[in-house]
């Protein structure tokens, strides 16, 4: 036995003697425990991080950030949440090899953004308020949240020089922390309402519904929250398969910075519908696609749920005038999908679009027209025969002629234990909930308003195979923006949801849609027990 091994054993033995030694151990098959395995405990997360993309390059942009943490039993005391500017990248419309902007959320500790100490100067109520691009120069937080969870805090910015934001929440502010970024652009490409939920960094993202066509300007925003550089590949799939591109490989995103990549610089081919695949070689990034149309407005395209044989795209607005479904199967195997609409009365099949055939590795688009026909609806995609993993999103239009506006609804993850939505307004928010596989009950809670008011809770029953637009129970005394939490009351029935924000402007029905996945406020902690025998192995 060499000296290094002896030192390790001695050090481990000393540690065990002082503090005990907890390790994960396999269950003892001879143990008499009524044959029931101990379930992992679910505990509130202690730290979360969020990344918000650069909101706009338009001088006419007006952006609001809304931060909210629901009250969570068992959460730690103390803590705070804040958003700070990322390192500024290059202007998005200039050199496509230099800089950009974006954001997302994470749990855990490795690679977290360091956010300074408590005691930073606050702006506005509970640290919210109006901050401009000066925040990037001063290093001050754009938004701070230090008082009680359960009440939203807002901050406002304007113009086209605002950076991406890196956010961190700790203690009681970490479980379920959600930030909504909503931008109103009065004119120009992408005019209308653009909204995105600031989300978590990851290593892979799929974005069906992007475009390289004339009249569309799409940017892939990449944001690195960590202290080391990330290396990213961007692949683009069109109607005939992968589009050739060399400049999409090995993109470096500097630490604590954001990089926007103009999609049209990655390929010379103009295609109406493409799927963007972001793969991280090293590190992690947050990713989102900003889709700007010269005449049809614009919005953020969030990542689709992970490839799966069945998908749900919840909450297509009831007054949608055009719906375009974009699907890709990542592998080389073709997929055949049944297309159904979960309406208020049940699952129906759109006439003429009963099924869609998706060739392996190729992006397929189908025009569904005004498929909702004035009622709440969610698309449900299921395999007609064998199950082949796919990703999907729909582009939705509202309005007619020169007054049209666009938004996207990607395939969604389940609501899970609880979903949280921030940035809602009393007259401009619609909550859509669907239960495609069976009846479900959901508890919907309206928070206090950012400017005052009392919370309220109602429980709703969603019939099997239906979508219900819920009349949100907003108390009369709620002022400012409010947050929603959606909690299914049955564990065995999957529930999906989305929230639509509307802000009509001079005849344009401006809107944006965000899906409501599990807010990841709780984490499963495996059962552990003390086992000193590992020191002898």
């Amino acid at each position: 036995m060499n000296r290094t091994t002896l030192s390790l054993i001695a050090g481990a033995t000393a540690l065990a003697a002082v503090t005990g030694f907890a390790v994960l151990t396999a269950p003892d098959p001879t143990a008499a425990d009524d044959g029931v395995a101990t379930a992992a405990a679910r505990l509130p997360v202690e730290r979360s991080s969020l990344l918000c993309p650069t909101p706009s390059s338009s001088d006419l942009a007006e952006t609001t950030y809304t931060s909210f943490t629901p009250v969570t039993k068992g959460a730690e005391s103390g803590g705070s949440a804040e958003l700070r500017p990322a390192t500024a990248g290059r202007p998005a419309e200039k050199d496509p090899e230099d800089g950009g902007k974006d954001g997302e959320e994470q749990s855990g500790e490795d690679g977290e953004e360091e956010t300074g100490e408590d005691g930073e100067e606050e702006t506005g109520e509970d640290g919210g308020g109006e901050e401009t691009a000066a925040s990037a120069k001063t290093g001050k937080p754009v938004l701070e949240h230090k008082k009680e969870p359960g009440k939203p805090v807002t901050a406002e910015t304007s113009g086209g020089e605002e950076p991406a934001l890196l956010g961190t929440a700790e203690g009681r502010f970490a479980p379920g922390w959600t930030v909504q970024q909503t931008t109103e652009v009065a004119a120009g490409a992408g005019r209308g309402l653009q909204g995105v939920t600031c989300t978590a960094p990851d290593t892979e993202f799929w974005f069906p519904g992007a475009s390289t066509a004339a009249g569309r300007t799409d940017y892939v925003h990449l944001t690195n929250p960590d202290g080391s550089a990330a290396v990213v590949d961007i692949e683009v799939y069109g109607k005939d398969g992968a589009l050739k591109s060399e400049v999409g490989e090995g993109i470096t995103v500097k630490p604590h910075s954001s990089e926007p990549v103009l999609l049209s610089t990655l390929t010379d081919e103009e295609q109406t519908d493409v799927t963007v695949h972001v793969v991280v070689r090293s590190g992690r990034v947050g990713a989102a696609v900003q889709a700007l149309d010269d005449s049809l407005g614009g919005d953020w395209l969030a990542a689709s749920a992970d490839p799966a044989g069945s998908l749900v795209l919840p909450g297509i607005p009831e007054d949608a005038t055009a719906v375009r479904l974009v699907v890709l199967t990542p592998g080389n195997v073709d997929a055949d999908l049944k297309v159904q609409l979960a309406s208020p009365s049940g699952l129906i099949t759109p006439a003429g679009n009963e099924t869609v055939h998706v060739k392996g590795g190729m992006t397929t688009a189908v025009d569904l027209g005004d498929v909702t026909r004035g009622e709440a609806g969610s698309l449900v995609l299921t395999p007609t025969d064998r199950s082949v993993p796919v990703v999907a999103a729909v582009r939705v239009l509202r309005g007619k002629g020169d007054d049209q506006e666009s938004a996207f609804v990607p395939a969604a993850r389940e609501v899970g234990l609880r979903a949280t939505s921030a940035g809602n307004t009393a007259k401009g928010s619609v909550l859509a909930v669907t239960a495609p596989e069976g009846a479900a009950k959901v508890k919907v809670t309206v928070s206090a308003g950012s400017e005052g008011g009392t919370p309220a809770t109602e429980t709703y029953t969603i019939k099997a195979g239906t979508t219900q637009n819920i009349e949100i129970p907003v108390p009369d005394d709620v002022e400012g923006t409010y947050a929603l939490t959606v909690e299914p009351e049955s564990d065995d029935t999957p529930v999906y949801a989305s929230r639509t924000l509307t802000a009509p402007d001079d005849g344009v029905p401006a809107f944006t849609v965000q899906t409501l996945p599990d807010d990841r406020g709780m984490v499963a902690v495996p059962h552990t027990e003390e086992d000193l025998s590992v020191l002898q192995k």
Side-chain angles (χ1 to χ4, degrees):
M1 185 177 293
N2 61 35
R3 185 173 300 174
T4 300
T5 304
L6 289 171
S7 299
L8 287 173
I9 291 178
T13 305
L15 178 64
V18 175
T19 64
F21 200 91
V23 298
L24 302 181
T25 60
D28 181 357
T30 64
D33 192 19
D34 299 326
V36 179
T38 303
R42 287 196 170 273
L43 300 176
V45 299
E46 298 176 358
R47 182 182 176 93
S48 295
S49 292
L50 295 176
L51 308 174
C52 304
T54 300
S56 179
S57 60
S58 171
D59 291 338
L60 303 177
E62 300 289 339
T63 300
T64 300
Y65 299 96
T66 306
S67 167
F68 177 77
T69 297
V71 177
T72 303
K73 292 182 179 179
E76 288 189 342
S77 60
S80 63
E82 65 179 23
L83 296 170
R84 288 178 177 268
T87 302
R90 69 187 184 309
E93 64 273 16
K94 295 185 180 179
D95 181 6
E97 296 182 359
D98 226 324
K101 323 176 182 185
D102 184 85
E104 316 250 328
E105 162 191 324
Q106 85 198 48
S107 295
E109 295 184 358
D110 292 341
E112 295 286 3
E113 168 70 5
E114 294 299 329
T115 56
E117 304 294 334
D118 289 345
E120 295 283 357
E121 180 179 343
E122 296 189 6
T123 56
E125 182 178 355
D126 199 15
E130 294 191 8
E131 288 283 340
T132 67
S135 297
K137 299 178 181 178
T138 64
K140 294 180 180 179
V142 172
L143 181 150
E144 290 183 284
H145 199 165
K146 294 185 176 181
K147 294 183 180 178
E148 296 291 329
K151 179 181 178 181
V153 172
T154 64
E156 297 179 354
T157 63
S158 61
E161 298 182 1
E162 299 304 315
L165 302 181
L166 309 178
T168 304
E170 296 180 328
R172 60 182 176 173
F173 290 93
W177 185 42
T178 300
V179 175
Q180 170 72 17
Q181 174 183 299
T182 305
T183 303
E184 294 187 50
V185 179
R191 61 94 177 95
L193 197 63
Q194 301 174 21
V196 63
T197 302
C198 305
T199 50
D202 207 336
T203 57
E204 185 177 31
F205 306 84
W206 292 95
F207 298 98
S211 179
T212 59
R216 272 279 287 273
T217 306
D218 287 17
Y219 291 94
V220 183
H221 287 251
L222 307 171
T223 303
N224 178 6
D226 297 330
S228 58
V231 180
V232 180
D233 293 339
I234 300 178
E235 303 165 346
V236 184
Y237 295 86
K239 56 185 178 61
D240 298 317
L243 304 183
K244 293 182 179 180
S245 173
E246 294 182 0
V247 295
E249 297 181 359
I251 298 170
T252 298
V253 186
K254 296 177 182 179
H256 305 158
S257 70
S258 190
E259 186 81 21
V261 179
L262 180 59
L263 197 57
S264 60
T265 64
L266 303 183
T267 176
D268 293 331
E269 296 190 43
E270 293 186 358
Q271 295 200 17
T272 302
D273 302 287
V274 299
T275 299
V276 174
H277 185 206
V278 174
V279 184
V280 184
R281 293 190 197 178
S282 63
R284 305 171 306 161
V285 300
V289 172
Q290 189 175 35
L292 308 176
D293 194 287
D294 289 347
S295 59
L296 299 175
D299 207 348
W300 289 96
L301 170 59
S304 168
D306 294 336
S310 299
L311 297 174
V312 177
L313 294 76
I316 299 172
E318 58 188 9
D319 59 351
T321 53
V323 176
R324 186 172 178 85
L325 171 66
V326 182
V327 188
L328 171 86
T329 173
N332 296 320
V333 180
D334 292 3
D336 288 289
L337 300 170
K338 179 189 296 184
V339 180
Q340 293 178 294
L341 183 74
S343 71
S345 57
L347 290 169
I348 60 175
T349 302
N353 292 296
E354 295 84 359
T355 62
V356 58
H357 179 71
V358 186
K359 294 183 179 180
M362 303 179 187
T363 296
T364 299
V366 180
D367 283 321
L368 301 178
D370 58 341
V371 64
T372 57
R373 298 187 180 278
E375 293 186 318
S378 302
L379 278 187
V380 180
L381 307 179
T382 54
T384 60
D385 188 9
R386 61 175 178 172
S387 179
V388 178
V390 298
V391 292
V394 293
R395 184 187 188 186
V396 180
L397 296 182
R398 296 175 69 225
K400 295 181 179 180
D402 294 335
D403 293 333
Q404 293 184 84
E405 160 75 317
S406 59
F408 297 89
V409 182
R413 296 178 177 85
E414 293 181 28
V415 168
L417 292 178
R418 180 185 65 193
T420 303
S421 168
N424 299 283
T425 60
K427 296 182 179 180
S429 299
V430 176
L431 174 65
V433 181
T434 184
E437 298 180 17
K441 284 188 176 182
V442 295
K443 182 172 71 173
V444 178
T445 300
V446 175
S447 76
S450 58
E451 299 176 11
T454 55
T457 300
E458 293 285 348
T459 300
Y460 302 86
T461 298
I462 312 299
K463 296 180 180 178
T466 70
T467 296
Q468 182 176 339
N469 277 358
I470 291 176
E471 184 175 343
I472 302 172
V474 183
D476 293 337
D477 64 348
V478 169
E479 298 182 4
T481 63
Y482 63 89
L484 288 170
T485 56
V486 180
E487 299 173 89
E489 296 194 337
S490 56
D491 296 332
D492 55 349
T493 303
V495 172
Y496 302 82
S498 71
R499 185 279 317 276
T500 299
L501 288 177
T502 60
D505 181 26
D506 196 23
V508 176
F511 74 116
T512 181
V513 182
Q514 282 78 55
T515 60
L516 275 63
D518 191 297
D519 63 21
R520 293 188 283 191
M522 307 293 287
V523 63
V525 179
H527 172 69
T528 64
E529 63 183 44
E530 189 177 274
D531 185 3
L532 297 180
S533 66
V534 297
L535 300 177
Q536 302 173 357
K537 296 179 181 178

